[in-house]
């Protein structure tokens, strides 16, 4: 039942996104512009640590931008309408899964343009599998935390500002662990070196999903 | 007696303030000169002590026993001369070969045996790990006076332990109270629970700011800077940021019931992630705090008995005072609401 509801809601999100191509185009343009700005400021980055950190910071801001609109587009009346049809857990989980997919696309596009402009040298000799896993876990974590924060911030007038204030301190354990894990991957070390980070990231993602599942119904109730 | 815990916490804090500021520091060595030794030469050295009484010696000895140590290899010192209770002069013959470049100095006399780690650096030493010998006879000390340990780096600032550390314990206690009442609010929607959750955050932030101030002062004395990049400092900064964000969030919602519910949800969400952060962060970076990276530690096996007799009452006292402040704030807030509604 819940799974079917989630499936329908995700399809709804996709339909809306495709109907309104400006939104996804805006996100991609945001990413490309930011990367280009960094390129003009830095020219080329030889240092792997700086390359890695800057990439995650860019991705963090594009996540904030992408996900901030996930509850903005829902008007009060549409939320009420959804409330009569589906369970609140289905709403938050579907938004989360949809945002993970959206973040995955954003991350891949960012990585493409980022390595195109700022140099591919750090990627050569990297542990590609581990790097992709880091990217995936990162997208899931960003999407998870920011979806919940967006739901909270949607109750206030100043969505984007409040989201940054509420979200950045909370995203920190995730961001630091991600920078650590992708740094290990970029140095080309085998999987054993990243076990702690992998465990922390997986645990955090499960924790965030569980918390959102438990807490969202209270937020939803008017 | 009704409000016994309030009297108790005030009494505890008075005890803590009086004892922690009046207990003398134990004897210890603070400085040597010169700090660089030339190998293969005879060096004249001066050692400065703090709260020491070098003139008191066991009856069968003329002067304190002094020796240097380099990784298990001991160098006996000659011509020990007591200038006064705080100053010693002696000479030492440094051989060409040493196991390590840094040397510790030991002074042993009636009050005990005291060490200044890494007091000297020996330049151009030939590394020889095979050198080992027995340590000279040392005294365990006959003085049983009540004093705080004299640790290198910390010195007199060790008293701040009673003020800085309990601030964080108290803050975490209040944030935990706040999250418990947020959960209670979500399950029952009782406005009183929301009031307690909000006031606990306010009082917790007060203690957090005091913790940052006392910590900053301490860092200036021990590490030389007002702020250093350190796991615990960054964790503390993030904790205060999260709860300031909580107050901002409350401020930006107008409708009272909506405000309480949204804030409670954020509070629970943030608290759980904060606990993870405080557990995860130290694993990823090194810390300057006790027990990490060569700093003197206060861990359970190490916290001195004299410190313990003041530290535990300090923790209880500060927590009691914070609960009292919380109770007063809740009452005034309730009265304010009643006046507004009347």
């Amino acid at each position: 039942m819940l799974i079917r509801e989630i499936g329908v809601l995700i399809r709804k999100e996709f339909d809306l996104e495709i109907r309104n191509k400006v939104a996804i185009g805006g996100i991609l343009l945001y990413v490309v512009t930011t990367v280009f700005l960094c390129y003009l400021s830095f020219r080329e980055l030889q240092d792997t640590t700086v390359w890695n950190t800057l990439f995650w910071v860019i991705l963090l801001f594009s996540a904030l931008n992408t996900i901030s609109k996930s509850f903005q587009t829902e008007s009060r009346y549409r939320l009420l309408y959804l409330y009569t049809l589906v369970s609140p857990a289905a709403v938050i989980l579907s938004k989360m899964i949809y945002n993970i997919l959206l973040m995955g696309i954003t991350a891949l596009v960012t990585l493409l343009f980022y390595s195109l402009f700022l140099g591919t040298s750090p990627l050569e000799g990297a542990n590609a599998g581990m790097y992709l896993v880091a990217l995936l876990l990162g997208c899931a974590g960003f999407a998870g935390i920011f979806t919940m924060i967006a739901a909270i911030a949607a109750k206030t007038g100043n969505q984007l500002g409040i989201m940054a204030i509420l979200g950045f301190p909370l995203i920190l354990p995730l961001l630091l662990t991600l920078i650590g894990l992708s740094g290990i991957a970029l140095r080309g070390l085998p999987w054993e070196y990243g076990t702690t980070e992998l465990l922390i990231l997986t645990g955090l993602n499960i924790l965030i999903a569980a918390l959102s599942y438990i807490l969202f119904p209270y937020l939803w109730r008017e | 007696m009704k409000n016994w815990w309030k009297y108790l916490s005030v009494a505890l804090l008075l005890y803590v303030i009086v004892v922690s500021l009046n207990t003398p520091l134990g004897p210890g060595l603070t400085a040597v000169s010169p700090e660089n030794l030339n190998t293969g030469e005879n060096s004249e050295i001066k050692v400065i002590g703090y709260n020491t009484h070098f003139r008191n010696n066991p009856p069968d000895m003329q002067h304190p026993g002094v020796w240097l140590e380099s990784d298990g290899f001991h160098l006996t010192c000659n011509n020990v001369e007591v200038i006064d209770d705080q100053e010693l002069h002696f000479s030492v013959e440094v051989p060409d070969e040493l196991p390590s470049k840094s040397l510790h100095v030991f002074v042993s006399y009636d009050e005990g045996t005291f060490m200044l780690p890494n007091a000297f650096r020996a330049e151009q030493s030939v590394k020889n790990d095979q050198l080992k010998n027995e340590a000279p006879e040392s005294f365990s000390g006959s003085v049983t006076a009540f004093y705080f340990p004299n640790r290198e780096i910390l010195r007199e600032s060790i008293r701040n332990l009673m003020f800085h550390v309990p601030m964080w314990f108290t803050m975490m206690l209040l944030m935990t109270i706040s999250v418990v009442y947020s959960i209670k609010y979500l399950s029952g929607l009782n406005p009183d629970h929301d009031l307690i959750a909000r006031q606990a955050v306010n009082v917790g932030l007060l203690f957090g700011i005091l913790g940052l101030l006392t910590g900053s002062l301490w860092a200036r004395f021990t590490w030389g800077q007002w702020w250093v990049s350190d796991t615990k400092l960054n964790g503390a900064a993030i904790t205060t940021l999260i709860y300031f964000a909580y107050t901002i969030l409350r401020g930006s919602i107008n409708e009272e019931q909506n405000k309480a519910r949204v804030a409670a949800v954020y509070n629970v969400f943030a608290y759980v992630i904060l606990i993870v952060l405080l557990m995860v962060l130290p694993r990823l970076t090194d810390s300057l705090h006790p027990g990490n990276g060569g700093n003197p530690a206060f861990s359970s096996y190490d916290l001195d008995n004299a410190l313990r007799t003041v530290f535990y009452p300090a923790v209880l006292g500060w927590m009691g005072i914070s609960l009292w402040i919380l109770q007063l704030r809740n009452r005034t807030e309730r009265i304010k609401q009643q006046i507004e509604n009347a």
Side-chain angles (χ1 to χ4, degrees):
Chain A
M1 191 60 202
L2 185 67
I3 292 176
R4 238 195 60 218
E5 282 179 359
I6 291 174
V8 171
L9 285 172
I10 291 176
R11 252 234 326 275
K12 181 212 90 180
E13 297 279 345
F14 266 112
D15 286 347
L16 284 176
E17 200 74 66
I18 286 167
R19 231 178 276 167
N20 184 10
K21 291 186 193 66
V22 181
I24 186 106
I27 294 161
L28 296 184
L29 196 60
Y30 177 86
V31 165
V32 175
T33 318
T34 315
V35 170
F36 193 64
L37 195 92
C38 291
Y39 163 67
L40 288 181
S41 318
F42 281 105
R43 287 295 161 186
E44 196 169 358
L45 286 177
Q46 292 296 338
D47 185 41
T48 309
T49 318
V50 178
W51 191 94
N52 185 27
T53 313
L54 185 66
F55 174 75
W56 283 110
V57 173
I58 291 176
L59 206 60
L60 173 71
F61 276 89
S62 48
L64 180 74
N65 220 26
T66 311
I67 297 167
S68 68
K69 62 174 190 53
S70 54
F71 284 88
Q72 233 166 15
T73 49
E74 306 277 11
S75 71
R76 223 190 124 140
Y77 303 104
R78 191 153 75 197
L79 279 176
L80 271 178
Y81 174 59
L82 275 179
Y83 192 29
T84 59
L85 294 178
V86 290
S87 68
V91 173
I92 187 75
L93 289 180
S94 69
K95 291 240 185 232
M96 238 174 225
I97 293 166
Y98 176 72
N99 281 333
I100 291 172
L101 296 175
L102 207 58
M103 274 312 297
I105 297 168
T106 315
L108 286 181
V109 173
T110 311
L111 185 62
L112 185 76
F113 280 97
Y114 191 72
S115 48
L116 182 74
F117 283 119
L118 288 148
T120 48
S121 57
L123 284 173
E124 284 151 22
N127 182 344
M130 204 207 277
Y131 193 75
L132 280 180
V133 170
L135 219 52
L136 182 76
L137 287 171
C139 290
F142 282 174
I145 289 190
F146 278 137
T147 309
M148 190 61 192
I149 293 294
I152 292 172
K155 303 275 174 186
T156 70
N158 170 20
Q159 170 101 16
L160 204 61
I162 289 286
M163 259 190 83
I165 295 173
L166 298 183
F168 282 178
L170 294 185
I171 210 91
L172 216 104
L174 198 80
L175 188 71
L176 288 179
T177 325
L178 279 171
I179 291 174
L181 181 65
S182 51
I184 292 168
L186 286 178
R187 266 178 279 146
L189 297 170
W191 288 88
E192 295 93 86
Y193 287 83
T195 324
T196 326
E197 277 84 356
L198 279 170
L199 281 176
I200 292 174
L201 284 175
T202 320
L204 258 176
N205 276 320
I206 294 170
L207 185 77
I208 292 160
L211 274 175
S212 309
Y213 179 82
I214 297 166
L215 289 173
F216 185 71
Y218 294 103
L219 207 59
W220 170 272
R221 194 194 293 165
E222 287 272 340
Chain B
M1 198 157 61
K2 209 178 147 207
N3 291 310
W4 61 272
W5 56 276
K6 293 176 189 167
Y7 298 109
L8 179 70
S9 42
V10 170
L12 283 176
L13 280 188
L14 279 175
Y15 161 78
V16 165
I17 289 167
V18 169
V19 176
S20 74
L21 297 181
N22 283 308
T23 306
L25 223 53
L29 309 177
T30 52
V32 294
S33 83
E35 290 179 354
N36 287 314
L37 296 180
N38 293 323
T39 46
E41 275 181 27
N42 197 26
S43 304
E44 293 290 328
I45 294 168
K46 185 168 89 175
V47 169
I48 306 290
Y50 186 86
N51 285 356
T52 46
H53 301 91
F54 288 144
R55 278 192 278 229
N56 300 356
N57 283 303
D60 55 329
M61 281 179 71
Q62 297 282 307
H63 51 70
V66 182
W67 67 92
L68 307 190
E69 192 223 317
S70 163
D71 249 0
F73 179 60
H74 300 84
L75 299 169
T76 322
C77 301
N78 311 310
N79 308 330
V80 179
E81 193 185 343
V82 178
I83 305 299
D84 58 30
D85 274 343
Q86 275 84 42
E87 192 173 339
L88 275 182
H89 288 193
F90 60 88
S91 65
V92 65
E93 181 86 39
V94 186
D96 282 326
E97 297 188 344
L98 284 173
S100 155
K101 278 193 176 186
S102 71
L103 293 119
H104 319 308
V105 61
F106 288 80
V107 175
S108 184
Y109 64 105
D110 187 50
E111 286 180 304
T113 302
F114 303 100
M115 166 173 105
L116 185 64
N118 308 319
F120 302 101
R121 287 194 66 75
E123 293 308 321
Q124 293 138 7
S125 75
V126 180
K127 200 169 158 59
N128 184 348
D129 289 335
Q130 308 304 316
L131 281 173
K132 282 255 175 330
N133 59 10
E134 286 285 306
E137 188 198 356
S138 58
F139 300 101
S140 55
S142 59
V143 182
T144 51
F146 184 78
Y147 53 67
F148 289 152
N150 189 335
R151 298 264 170 77
E152 73 277 15
I153 306 176
L154 290 171
R155 304 297 170 203
E156 291 278 5
S157 79
I158 202 164
R159 305 168 198 287
N160 199 7
L161 175 75
M162 317 307 168
F163 302 94
H164 171 64
V165 182
M167 295 298 152
W168 297 115
F169 288 6
T170 311
M171 181 189 184
M172 284 324 285
L173 172 77
L174 285 161
M175 297 320 182
T176 311
I177 290 174
S178 169
V179 87
V180 167
Y181 276 92
S182 279
I183 293 170
K184 273 190 178 176
Y185 176 77
L186 286 178
S187 59
L189 295 184
N190 178 351
D192 271 355
H193 292 159
D194 177 58
L195 180 75
I196 297 171
R198 173 164 47 118
Q199 295 304 339
V201 166
N202 286 340
V203 181
L205 275 175
L206 171 75
F207 277 85
I209 291 166
L210 288 176
L212 283 178
L213 289 178
T214 48
S216 191
L217 203 66
W218 210 1
R220 180 74 184 86
F221 275 96
T222 50
W223 303 323
Q225 274 168 314
W226 295 104
W227 188 273
V228 289
S229 182
D230 175 80
T231 311
K232 298 231 164 83
L233 269 86
N234 293 337
I238 292 161
T239 313
T240 33
L241 280 182
I242 285 179
Y243 285 100
F244 273 119
Y246 172 87
T247 55
I248 299 278
L249 176 67
R250 288 197 80 101
S252 53
I253 304 175
N254 290 324
E255 207 253 307
E256 204 56 47
Q257 242 198 334
N258 220 349
K259 177 192 286 189
R261 213 183 52 245
V262 172
V265 168
Y266 173 72
N267 195 0
V268 178
F269 193 65
Y271 183 83
V272 177
I273 294 181
L274 177 67
I275 294 297
V276 175
L277 173 80
L278 295 180
M279 288 192 302
V280 164
L281 211 56
R283 285 164 196 274
L284 297 173
T285 41
D286 223 13
S287 177
L288 284 170
H289 267 76
N292 311 66
N295 275 284
F298 298 119
S299 53
S300 53
Y301 60 89
D302 194 84
L303 191 59
D304 180 272
N305 270 330
L307 286 177
R308 229 183 278 249
T309 52
V310 193
F311 180 67
Y312 294 151
V315 171
L316 286 179
W318 285 115
M319 282 183 172
I321 286 284
S322 78
L323 293 178
W324 192 5
I325 297 175
L326 177 63
Q327 194 189 47
L328 289 177
R329 290 205 59 142
N330 282 335
R331 284 181 185 165
T332 47
E333 203 60 28
R334 250 174 234 150
I335 293 167
K336 252 187 223 164
Q337 278 177 4
Q338 275 169 10
I339 293 171
E340 270 170 32
N341 293 341

